Amino acid sequence: MTHQVPALTTSQKKELQETALRIVTPGKGILAADESVGSMGKRLNQIGVENTEENRRQFRQVLFRADDRINSCIGGVIFFHETLYQQADDGTSFVKMIKDKNIAVGIKVDKGVVPLAGTNGESTTQGLDGLLERCAQYKKDGANFAKWRCVFKIGDTTPSTLSIQENANVLARYSSICQQHGIVPIVEPEILPDGDHDLRRCQYVTEKVLAALYKAMSDHHVYLEGTLLKPNMVTPGHSCSTKYSAEEVAMATVTALRRTVPPAVSGVTFLSGGQSEEEASVHLNAINNCPLVKPWALTFSYGRALQASALKTWRGHKENENVATEQFIKRAEVNSLACQGKYTGGGYSESDQIYVANHAY
Amino acid sequence: MTTQFPSLSPEQKKELSNIAQKIVAPGKGILAADESTGTMAKRLQKINVENTEENRRSFRDLLFSAVDPNCIGGIIFFHETLYQKSDNGVPFPKVIKDKGIVVGIKVDKGTAALNGTDGETTTQGLDGLSERCAQYKKDGCDFAKWRCVLKISDSCPSALSIAENANVLARYASICQQNGLVPIVEPEILPDGDHDLLRTQYVTEKVLAATYKALNDHHVYLEGTLLKPNMVTAGHSCTKKFSPQEVAMATVTALRRTVPAAVPGVTFLSGGQSEEEATQNLNAMNQTALHRPWKLSFSFGRALQASALAAWQGKAANKKAAQDAFTSRAKSNGLASKGEYKSTAGADKASMQSLHTANYVY
């Protein structure tokens, strides 16, 4: 406990920190396009499109072909493994298309959730086996950041101590391994919005989860400046009868982060959970306008909240491609403003909700 | 772990938060005047003054009558001093409060050995602490201080030492807040040894990470606390010398990796640093390019009082000279807490002397 055995050289640290900071450059956030085959199945199903490799490639193309307007809005794109090795219609690799826009390429590296026996339906996440070698390969193939998602749920008896400790530990192990190969780990301890708990309860649980996470990160000697955090915003449960304003969500979220996330962490890139596109933008904007001192960048790492409209517009038809891409660019621009606290549009309705009960990747 | 049982009402939280903010208001820091009787003996012995209650009172009176509220936001008292009076017969807490300075009290009862370790310790004082805090609050205190001690060596600090001291600090903090006292949490890592700057930084990060995990586990309201850590410096016998900028960088980096932004202020202890060294290091910290979401200020004992003691020599005739020396150091540190201190070339001899006493114990 007393002697340091340096895990990273100075130049390795520098590379990691620079990569992290570039992703969260003011005005930029992350496009989470790393839906697994199964998750893409659900998306495509909703618009009546068959879940084939070609259709998945076509939809990612809708996003990646966006013009230079997104260069100042998107700092990184998270890929799913399959997508990393796909190309556009003209044969250009997706990785090259993204890198040519000066956007960082990321890769989802976890292998999904597995049950924690003896708990009330809680889980940990697998994927550590051979992770070091996989990271080396991904780095060669163009990735310089990664993502790993753990899942918690709020219930009468959850999250349990075991769930908090186990997930914090596995996130720290993953982070430690990534950094060895110059890959910035995005750490995602998602607390699901399922349930009728109120804002206060979510804040409390978020604080406990994040405190455990950063203790584990310290124990595993992770270089915090070379990491990013992808947490849930602090929101009430989906079945909670009390409604809260964006400012209340913002205050609860920023307070929870201020109590647990060390200033050394380069940035916080929120997941959108089941929030609608507009809700996610309005909340992000409120977070950036929260008057408390916020020592990290606060931006987005959105999947559904960036893609929902594009998906609905595309419907699997090539002729809709341009208009669909425009929808994506529009959300990217709105979130670029929101992550600077400059989004003046706003207002969303319940019908925009994209919430899927008990969402598992 | 899943349901919150609120330990503080919104009003209680607001009160604690306001007190903490008041202590570390811009340009202000803390005068640590809480030397125990035994420790005062060492101080007074150095200037050949007898360690009597009257002499202790007299010296504190010298300081308290001159203290400038523009650079001192809080003063930590020792129990005896809290119930003493000024030359004019005014109770010391009142003297201080009338100046708009917050009164604090040292509440720990010293270190105790951790069996099975290489000379490591924890700190005692939890018994009846809640009742004592309630009484101290009635008697004019609004904050408290508790010091834990860790040391660096081949085998130290051990996992037990880190875990135990973090836990006892969190218990103390939790109890204080129940009684309206802002807890200053002091996990001091001694400068004894020949380890370099990097080693101290590493150990400091581990200790502080454990401290804040424990504070979280114990549901402590961080916005109503202050941290009193060591600056990150090389060991006293380290052959390599480091500049104030290097000390500043190592210290601020360690804090950024471990201290949540919700903590309003970090008030450094001076350890065995000379008055000038402590001020310069604090100043450098407030000039680093790294973003610091908490105030960085001082909670100095020796580094504020050494020159004053030397000038006083126990003689009434020297009172003004001693007060001037104290005021001068206080002003310098007030500036340093804003990164505005300019050291005068040829700082006087007394302020440059190292105040290090090997293996310092209260």
Side-chain angles (χ1 to χ4, degrees):
Chain A
M1 185 63 86
T2 104
H3 283 274
Q4 181 176 24
V5 182
L8 301 165
T9 63
T10 309
S11 64
Q12 281 177 304
K13 287 181 174 179
K14 194 168 190 296
E15 184 195 358
L16 288 165
Q17 183 174 25
E18 280 172 0
T19 301
L21 289 173
R22 268 182 49 225
I23 293 170
V24 297
T25 303
K28 299 191 186 183
I30 297 171
L31 163 63
D34 61 318
E35 295 85 356
S36 62
V37 172
S39 282
M40 271 317 281
K42 292 190 212 168
R43 304 275 178 276
L44 298 175
N45 191 14
Q46 281 196 319
I47 53 166
V49 172
E50 202 190 341
N51 187 21
T52 62
E53 189 183 336
E54 176 56 17
N55 283 339
R56 294 192 291 274
R57 186 189 71 80
Q58 285 290 340
F59 184 63
R60 266 62 180 262
Q61 181 172 253
V62 166
L63 305 172
F64 299 167
R65 64 187 285 280
D67 61 37
D68 287 350
R69 278 175 288 164
I70 60 158
N71 297 7
S72 56
C73 309
I74 303 292
V77 174
I78 317 178
F79 281 64
F80 177 61
H81 179 91
E82 172 192 77
T83 321
L84 201 68
Y85 304 102
Q86 288 180 326
Q87 293 111 26
D89 290 346
D90 66 3
T92 315
S93 78
F94 281 154
V95 167
K96 185 175 192 310
M97 281 171 78
I98 295 303
K99 284 181 104 102
D100 283 350
K101 291 173 168 304
N102 236 332
I103 297 175
V105 169
I107 176 71
K108 184 237 295 286
V109 297
D110 71 76
K111 296 190 168 183
V113 298
V114 289
L116 280 174
T119 67
N120 189 3
E122 295 179 289
S123 65
T124 179
T125 297
Q126 55 184 6
L128 292 180
D129 299 353
L131 181 59
L132 186 66
E133 292 75 15
R134 291 175 60 216
C135 281
Q137 187 60 51
Y138 283 136
K139 187 77 197 275
K140 285 203 192 100
D141 296 341
N144 53 20
F145 73 97
K147 192 214 82 179
W148 177 295
R149 176 176 179 260
C150 279
V151 183
F152 302 89
K153 60 177 186 175
I154 298 179
D156 274 341
T157 57
T158 58
S160 65
T161 308
L162 173 63
S163 163
I164 294 177
Q165 266 165 216
E166 165 58 27
N167 284 289
N169 190 62
V170 80
L171 280 165
R173 269 301 288 145
Y174 140 78
S175 299
S176 166
I177 292 170
C178 281
Q179 292 194 328
Q180 288 299 298
H181 280 299
I183 294 204
V184 168
I186 296 190
V187 168
E188 180 179 355
E190 173 171 12
I191 300 164
L192 296 175
D194 301 54
D196 61 3
H197 52 273
D198 63 9
L199 187 68
R200 179 157 296 279
R201 180 94 188 277
C202 183
Q203 182 186 330
Y204 177 75
V205 173
T206 303
E207 289 176 16
K208 292 303 175 191
V209 166
L210 292 178
L213 172 65
Y214 284 99
K215 179 57 164 63
M217 299 285 264
S218 170
D219 290 344
H220 285 260
H221 317 303
V222 177
Y223 175 60
L224 292 186
E225 292 86 336
T227 68
L228 294 170
L229 175 69
K230 178 167 171 167
N232 49 284
M233 292 181 188
V234 173
T235 60
H238 256 273
S239 331
C240 181
S241 45
T242 313
K243 293 302 158 210
Y244 297 87
S245 66
E247 286 70 29
E248 287 174 298
V249 166
M251 192 54 115
T253 304
V254 174
T255 298
L257 298 176
R258 276 166 53 80
R259 289 175 179 173
T260 54
V261 183
V265 173
S266 290
V268 177
T269 59
F270 294 100
L271 59 95
S272 45
Q275 298 180 56
S276 69
E277 289 173 327
E278 191 60 16
E279 195 179 359
S281 300
V282 168
H283 281 155
L284 181 61
N285 190 58
I287 284 169
N288 278 282
N289 283 310
C290 178
L292 301 175
V293 171
K294 309 174 284 291
W296 349 253
L298 293 167
T299 184
F300 57 93
S301 174
Y302 291 167
R304 286 169 279 176
L306 273 170
Q307 304 175 47
S309 292
L311 197 61
K312 273 197 289 211
T313 305
W314 178 58
R315 304 204 72 81
H317 298 134
K318 199 83 176 145
E319 57 273 25
N320 295 340
E321 210 175 52
N322 284 340
V323 193
T325 304
E326 276 304 309
Q327 292 288 317
F328 163 58
I329 294 174
K330 182 173 150 211
R331 287 326 301 175
E333 289 178 324
V334 162
N335 285 306
S336 173
L337 289 171
C339 75
Q340 301 175 83
K342 295 180 184 167
Y343 179 47
T344 52
Y348 49 87
S349 71
E350 301 281 309
S351 61
D352 294 338
Q353 289 293 328
I354 15 190
Y355 169 64
V356 173
N358 217 340
H359 174 80
Y361 261 31
Chain B
M1 185 63 87
T2 103
T3 318
Q4 182 178 22
F5 297 96
S7 47
L8 299 165
S9 68
E11 293 75 32
Q12 283 176 301
K13 285 181 172 177
K14 192 159 199 305
E15 188 199 16
L16 290 166
S17 169
N18 287 343
I19 292 168
Q21 300 277 356
K22 190 170 172 198
I23 294 169
V24 293
K28 301 191 190 189
I30 298 171
L31 163 63
D34 60 320
E35 295 84 357
S36 63
T37 309
T39 300
M40 273 314 282
K42 292 188 212 166
R43 302 274 180 277
L44 297 175
Q45 194 209 42
K46 271 180 98 166
I47 54 168
N48 291 314
V49 171
E50 202 189 341
N51 186 24
T52 62
E53 193 184 333
E54 174 52 24
N55 282 340
R56 294 192 293 275
R57 188 205 66 78
S58 188
F59 183 63
R60 268 67 181 261
D61 180 79
L62 183 158
L63 299 175
F64 298 170
S65 52
V67 68
D68 178 0
N70 288 320
C71 29
I72 301 292
I75 299 182
I76 317 178
F77 280 61
F78 178 60
H79 178 91
E80 172 192 76
T81 320
L82 199 67
Y83 304 102
Q84 288 179 325
K85 298 182 177 132
S86 69
D87 290 350
N88 302 331
V90 181
F92 280 146
K94 186 175 192 313
V95 171
I96 296 308
K97 284 178 101 126
D98 284 350
K99 286 182 180 233
I101 300 173
V102 187
V103 172
I105 176 73
K106 182 236 295 288
V107 298
D108 72 77
K109 295 191 171 183
T111 56
L114 278 176
N115 307 310
T117 67
D118 187 11
E120 294 178 293
T121 62
T122 179
T123 296
Q124 53 188 5
L126 292 180
D127 299 350
L129 181 59
S130 189
E131 291 75 14
R132 291 175 58 217
C133 284
Q135 188 61 51
Y136 283 137
K137 180 82 178 183
K138 284 205 194 100
D139 296 341
C141 301
D142 284 314
F143 74 98
K145 191 214 82 179
W146 176 293
R147 175 177 179 259
C148 277
V149 183
L150 299 111
K151 61 177 186 177
I152 296 178
S153 72
D154 271 343
S155 57
C156 304
S158 65
L160 172 62
S161 164
I162 294 177
E164 165 58 26
N165 283 291
N167 190 61
V168 80
L169 279 166
R171 273 299 293 139
Y172 140 78
S174 167
I175 292 169
C176 279
Q177 292 193 327
Q178 289 300 297
N179 292 288
L181 295 179
V182 165
I184 295 190
V185 167
E186 180 179 356
E188 172 170 11
I189 300 163
L190 295 175
D192 301 56
D194 60 3
H195 52 275
D196 64 7
L197 190 67
L198 214 65
R199 180 94 188 278
T200 304
Q201 183 186 328
Y202 177 74
V203 173
T204 303
E205 288 175 15
K206 293 303 178 193
V207 168
L208 291 179
T211 302
Y212 282 97
K213 179 57 165 61
L215 287 172
N216 183 280
D217 289 343
H218 286 260
H219 317 302
V220 175
Y221 175 59
L222 292 187
E223 291 87 336
T225 66
L226 292 169
L227 176 69
K228 177 167 172 167
N230 49 284
M231 294 184 189
V232 173
T233 60
H236 253 272
S237 332
C238 181
T239 45
K240 186 154 189 261
K241 295 299 158 210
F242 297 90
S243 67
Q245 287 66 37
E246 289 172 300
V247 167
M249 199 53 147
T251 306
V252 175
T253 299
L255 297 176
R256 278 168 51 79
R257 291 175 178 172
T258 54
V259 183
V263 175
V266 176
T267 54
F268 295 98
L269 60 95
S270 43
Q273 299 179 59
S274 71
E275 290 174 327
E276 187 61 18
E277 196 180 354
T279 305
Q280 288 202 16
N281 285 337
L282 178 63
N283 192 52
M285 283 182 218
N286 280 292
Q287 293 183 337
T288 61
L290 298 174
H291 178 60
R292 296 156 262 117
W294 354 252
K295 298 273 181 28
L296 291 181
S297 188
F298 56 94
S299 174
F300 291 167
R302 284 170 282 178
L304 273 171
Q305 303 176 52
S307 294
L309 259 174
W312 182 50
Q313 297 291 325
K315 302 186 166 74
N318 297 336
K319 187 168 161 177
K320 173 128 195 351
Q323 289 177 322
D324 287 348
F326 167 57
T327 302
S328 170
R329 282 330 301 173
K331 280 203 165 74
S332 298
N333 285 305
L335 289 170
S337 77
K338 295 188 276 187
E340 294 171 8
Y341 174 65
K342 291 182 183 12
S343 78
T344 52
D348 54 65
K349 185 160 178 289
S351 77
M352 292 300 288
Q353 273 179 344
S354 172
L355 303 166
H356 178 240
T357 310
N359 216 339
Y360 181 64
V361 173
Y362 259 34

